[in-house]
Amino acid sequence: MRTHLLLVVGLVIMSCSPSQKFDLVIKNGTIYDGSGGAPVKNDIGIIANEIAKIGEIYPTEETKIIDAQGLAVSPGFIDLHSHLDPIMELPDAESHVRQGVTTALGGPDGGGPWPFGEFLDSLEKMPLGYNVGYLTGHNRIRRNVMDLENREPTTKELEEMKSQVNLAMEEGAFGISTGLKYLPGTFSKVDEVIELSKIAAMHGGIYTSHLREEGLGLIDGVSEAILIGREANIPIVLTHHKVVGQPMWGSSNRTLALVDSARNAGIDVMIDQYPYNASYTGISILIPGWALAGGQEEFEKRMTDKVLQDSIRSGTLFNIINDRGGNDLKRVQFAKVSWQPDLEGKTLYNWAAELGMEPSVETGADLVLQAQLNGGASAIFFAMHDDDVENIMSHEFTMIASDGRLVKLGDAHPHPRWYGTFPRVLGLYVREKQLMKLEEAIRKMTSLPAKRMGLDDRGLIKEGYVADITIFNPETVIDMATFEEPHQYPEGIDYVIINGKVVVDDAKFTESRPGLVLRGPAFELNK
């Protein structure tokens, strides 16, 4: 009997003893694994950069422990649409990481670095706050070959563009992005984009599209993106999907029906979206694209021709009334104005009033053209409806993405999405509006974008996966950045773990910089 009792006691002690030595243990958290399934309460043990165990863990005294009692433990958020242009100056990426973002995909809207491989090689030497990958941009490559010319490419030029896409994919691009609303992408025909996308598809890449139109031409824009995906046989992302301009409000029902129809036909189309009713881009978006062909100097020349100037003004007026202008000068807010910084945060209406001008849409058109003649400006455009925002967000295949640019506290007057995208969804749309369950929102931020990027070891809390983890308080998480006061970090994001290292610790940003440059599917095959 005594021998039997000792054996039982010994087995109990063994079961309570750590079988592994962990570098970091997360105790008592409610785990949302990223799949969309119901949460479970459990511990997580991390060794180096890997989730080594999910289950009851008895850590040793020297193990770092995070007590996640009352907190949600999620895979790190993956931002599928990030403007990473300032990353060499802001490699810590604090404005993103504090939102819970552990991986970001740059090079959207047809932009992106060039030479591609050289840029990634340089970036690998930086102390990065989080993981980054890149798309190669159609606009960038077209400009390399054709500058800002408004014409179709010659056979030779098309082959050179295809060669550059091929090179970028081999050097680690995750796919190709287009900005068909911007220069010079707006000058391209659909066949050109299909041919370039076929090259990305050949290397396992994806296609993300800033649609040619998001206002009156929205339905055609969505249809074109789906056509490109079908003909190139490439997975699609309708990026920062939105409905712009009062005449089109409510059209998300039609665009989502197109997505569903395409998916039913076997076309792999998905969506990403930021949770705001205002967009952000250059004020030149209100000017007809043809007027900007050839660049700023050519635009200035056209503005000296009375006939052309009248035509440009007419097109700009149309866009103020029907597109991003929202038919109201108060709906266009300056964000970054190098030639008159005191306009930042003010609207076209404010500017007209300061100049003693009648704040009409006609005056707005004149001021937009003057702003472009001064060198251009960035602006926030309040031209979307909340109903469309919520409708798009609710779709099964919509991912959350910021369309945010890395930013330093106090720099100009940015869109609040640069600071608040992911906490806003969790706080406003999940907790307050109950638009979706928390586990579904997390799926849209984690496993869904990971799958779209082809990341097979991130986006889930699962043994063997990389330890990219965000821990937040579901009762308090919220964005603090507003359109009036954008430079504010969110609340309720308590811990952010990247590649097994704690970058946000008890809501404090640490000195840890464990981020990696991630490369797309063709890179390993071509090393």
Side-chain angles (χ1 to χ4, degrees):
M1 181 68 178
R2 179 177 172 79
T3 302
H4 176 70
L5 181 60
L6 288 173
L7 178 60
V8 171
V9 172
L11 289 172
V12 171
I13 292 172
M14 287 176 63
S15 68
C16 294
S17 300
S19 57
Q20 295 170 287
K21 181 180 178 182
F22 299 101
D23 298 311
L24 174 63
V25 171
I26 302 167
K27 293 283 293 179
N28 307 317
T30 302
I31 298 174
Y32 293 79
D33 67 5
S35 68
V40 296
K41 192 158 186 175
N42 225 328
D43 302 335
I44 299 173
I46 296 168
I47 298 176
N49 70 337
E50 184 178 298
I51 297 172
K53 181 179 178 179
I54 301 173
E56 193 169 14
I57 296 173
Y58 298 89
T60 58
E61 289 184 4
E62 63 271 20
T63 303
K64 178 175 174 60
I65 301 171
I66 293 174
D67 185 357
Q69 182 70 41
L71 303 179
V73 181
S74 162
F77 306 148
I78 297 174
D79 190 346
L80 208 63
H81 185 132
S82 297
H83 290 272
L84 303 178
D85 310 58
I87 196 164
M88 292 295 186
E89 294 76 41
L90 301 171
D92 59 10
E94 185 173 2
S95 56
H96 261 107
V97 175
R98 281 186 175 270
Q99 296 184 52
V101 177
T102 59
T103 298
L105 184 63
D109 300 334
W114 196 266
F116 194 87
E118 289 182 22
F119 176 81
L120 294 192
D121 291 344
S122 297
L123 199 55
E124 283 182 328
K125 300 172 184 175
M126 301 290 293
L128 298 176
Y130 64 174
N131 306 308
V132 295
Y134 279 83
L135 300 159
T136 191
H138 167 235
N139 287 8
R140 169 72 71 177
I141 287 173
R142 194 181 211 270
R143 190 165 187 161
N144 289 347
V145 176
M146 300 176 61
D147 201 17
L148 294 178
E149 295 190 35
N150 184 2
R151 61 175 177 82
E152 294 184 43
T154 64
T155 300
K156 182 179 180 181
E157 287 168 337
L158 182 60
E159 288 303 312
E160 175 57 26
M161 284 193 279
K162 289 165 68 173
S163 176
Q164 290 191 17
V165 173
N166 187 75
L167 178 61
M169 292 301 299
E170 290 180 347
E171 291 175 337
F174 281 88
I176 185 171
S177 73
T178 55
L180 299 178
K181 181 69 173 176
Y182 299 128
L183 302 181
T186 189
F187 303 140
S188 65
K189 307 295 186 190
V190 67
D191 289 347
E192 173 187 324
V193 182
I194 290 170
E195 289 304 305
L196 298 181
S197 298
K198 285 179 178 178
I199 304 301
M202 182 177 68
H203 291 291
I206 63 175
Y207 171 71
T208 80
S209 177
H210 182 306
L211 303 179
R212 200 176 292 272
E213 291 293 342
E214 296 175 316
L216 293 179
L218 173 64
I219 305 303
D220 288 341
V222 172
S223 299
E224 180 185 48
I226 291 171
L227 172 66
I228 292 165
R230 185 189 72 193
E231 294 301 308
N233 192 26
I234 190 169
I236 311 160
V237 179
L238 306 180
T239 200
H240 56 41
H241 187 38
K242 64 178 78 72
V243 178
V244 171
Q246 293 183 31
M248 292 299 289
W249 286 353
S251 296
S252 59
N253 287 328
R254 297 172 64 190
T255 64
L256 297 179
L258 285 171
V259 169
D260 291 338
S261 178
R263 291 191 63 85
N264 289 337
I267 302 170
D268 187 2
V269 55
M270 293 167 63
I271 297 163
D272 76 48
Q273 180 204 35
Y274 52 80
Y276 297 87
N277 63 5
S279 62
Y280 175 103
T281 191
I283 202 163
S284 61
I285 199 79
L286 295 171
I287 301 172
W290 64 264
L292 300 163
Q296 180 70 7
E297 187 175 338
E298 292 301 313
F299 168 72
E300 292 174 4
K301 286 181 182 178
R302 293 184 185 104
M303 286 294 291
T304 63
D305 183 306
K306 185 64 170 66
V307 174
L308 290 178
Q309 182 187 118
D310 288 346
S311 184
I312 294 169
R313 184 179 184 274
S314 176
T316 303
L317 179 61
F318 180 89
N319 287 334
I320 288 176
I321 295 171
N322 296 289
D323 203 86
R324 288 177 201 252
N327 199 25
D328 182 351
L329 301 195
K330 294 179 180 178
R331 289 180 175 267
V332 181
Q333 180 187 35
F334 287 104
K336 193 171 183 64
V337 188
S338 61
W339 40 270
Q340 191 175 332
D342 65 2
L343 281 178
E344 293 171 358
K346 298 179 181 178
T347 65
L348 276 178
Y349 182 95
N350 297 140
W351 193 21
E354 287 179 7
L355 295 174
M357 302 172 71
E358 177 69 25
S360 63
V361 289
E362 291 80 7
T363 296
D366 292 332
L367 292 179
V368 167
L369 296 176
Q370 185 58 54
Q372 188 61 32
L373 288 170
N374 290 348
S378 297
I380 296 167
F381 302 88
F382 296 86
M384 293 132 68
H385 196 284
D386 288 333
D387 289 349
D388 287 310
V389 173
E390 294 185 14
N391 196 27
I392 292 168
M393 191 183 298
S394 299
H395 192 272
E396 180 183 3
F397 289 98
T398 294
M399 300 165 285
I400 305 304
S402 72
D403 192 11
R405 181 182 173 92
L406 295 178
V407 63
K408 183 179 179 180
L409 276 175
D411 185 15
H413 192 96
H415 194 297
R417 70 191 184 203
W418 298 13
Y419 287 98
T421 290
F422 295 87
R424 180 176 178 82
V425 171
L426 299 171
L428 177 61
Y429 290 96
V430 173
R431 185 179 65 245
E432 296 180 15
K433 293 195 171 189
Q434 298 183 2
L435 185 67
M436 69 190 85
K437 291 183 177 180
L438 181 55
E439 51 263 41
E440 175 62 10
I442 289 172
R443 183 185 75 93
K444 291 172 175 287
M445 300 175 178
T446 58
S447 65
L448 210 55
K451 182 178 180 182
R452 182 82 317 175
M453 284 181 68
L455 302 176
D456 57 8
D457 59 355
R458 300 176 196 267
L460 291 170
I461 292 184
K462 185 176 179 180
E463 290 181 2
Y465 271 53
V466 174
D468 288 348
I469 297 173
T470 294
I471 304 174
F472 63 92
N473 188 331
E475 299 301 320
T476 64
V477 63
I478 195 66
D479 60 311
M480 300 302 293
T482 65
F483 288 103
E484 295 75 27
E485 299 290 341
H487 289 288
Q488 300 185 73
Y489 294 124
E491 292 184 353
I493 304 289
D494 294 333
Y495 299 91
V496 181
I497 300 162
I498 299 175
N499 297 313
K501 305 297 183 184
V502 181
V503 182
V504 175
D505 191 350
D506 195 19
K508 299 178 182 65
F509 198 66
T510 72
E511 297 297 319
S512 184
R513 301 291 177 265
L516 299 174
V517 174
L518 306 180
R519 306 220 189 197
F523 179 69
E524 289 297 325
L525 298 175
N526 292 280
K527 281 172 60 173

